[in-house]
Amino acid sequence: MELTVTSAVMFMELDVFTKRELHARHDIMLETYIKKVQIESRVMGEMVNSSIIPAAIKYQKELTDSLNGMRALGISKTKLQAQLGIVNEINDYVTALKVNVDKMIAERIKANKLEDTHKKAIAYCDKVKPYFDTIRDYADKLEFIVADQYWPLPKYREMLFIR
């Protein structure tokens, strides 16, 4: 239940809630919001650090070993540009993921130090939550590149056709 200023005034005028009760409900809603965003950011950071990045690095190592093998056979670097491009792309996405997760965690730590519930909720909304889309975007890009056998999570296309 979202309390707007109009509904809050109406509740007080009709003696449904006192001003103190409305403030208590508001604080509870803020605490609920903070906990939800906090849990989501913790899970996101854990998934990236313990599943997505290791899978991407493992696949990148496989590609690198393959490239080194082809170079050992005498295949020129110019003929390996596509494979090198994939390795570099994985590296860029992994780096961006790690940087953004670390920044998100740092912002969450700052937000957690705030005592005022309203300021903490605003910090989570304005400082922590914006990283969600960026992190998700880089993880989605890696999902399209990393081979299925290395990817530890269900891919979107797999989830669409699960029976």
Side-chain angles (χ1 to χ4, degrees), residues 16-56:
V16 176
F17 294 117
T18 65
K19 187 174 183 177
R20 186 174 179 195
E21 289 170 328
L22 282 172
H23 282 289
R25 291 179 68 82
H26 183 253
D27 282 345
I28 290 168
M29 288 179 186
L30 290 176
E31 285 288 344
T32 302
Y33 173 78
I34 291 165
K35 289 294 179 199
K36 285 181 180 180
V37 176
Q38 184 182 63
I39 290 167
E40 192 171 344
S41 70
R42 284 182 176 178
V43 169
M44 182 178 285
E46 184 180 328
M47 285 176 63
V48 167
N49 286 328
S50 67
S51 296
I52 295 172
I53 289 177

Side-chain angles (χ1 to χ4, degrees), residues 38-107:
Q38 184 182 63
I39 290 167
E40 192 171 344
S41 70
R42 284 182 176 178
V43 169
M44 182 178 285
E46 184 180 328
M47 285 176 63
V48 167
N49 286 328
S50 67
S51 296
I52 295 172
I53 289 177
I57 290 172
K58 190 173 183 181
Y59 182 60
Q60 185 181 36
K61 182 186 180 319
E62 176 98 6
L63 293 174
T64 305
D65 291 346
S66 175
L67 279 168
N68 289 335
M70 292 200 278
R71 283 186 187 149
L73 292 173
I75 298 174
S76 69
K77 189 174 181 178
T78 55
K79 291 185 178 181
L80 300 174
Q81 287 304 311
Q83 294 90 330
L84 284 169
I86 294 169
V87 170
N88 288 327
E89 197 172 12
I90 291 170
N91 188 61
D92 292 344
Y93 295 151
V94 165
T95 301
L97 264 178
K98 183 65 177 152
V99 165
N100 281 285
V101 166
D102 290 348
K103 286 180 180 179
M104 178 188 68
I105 291 169
E107 289 297 335

Side-chain angles (χ1 to χ4, degrees), residues 136-150:
R136 167 112 188 250
D137 185 48
Y138 287 117
D140 287 349
K141 288 176 180 177
L142 279 172
E143 178 183 332
F144 284 114
I145 297 171
V146 176
D148 290 350
Q149 65 265 26
Y150 294 94

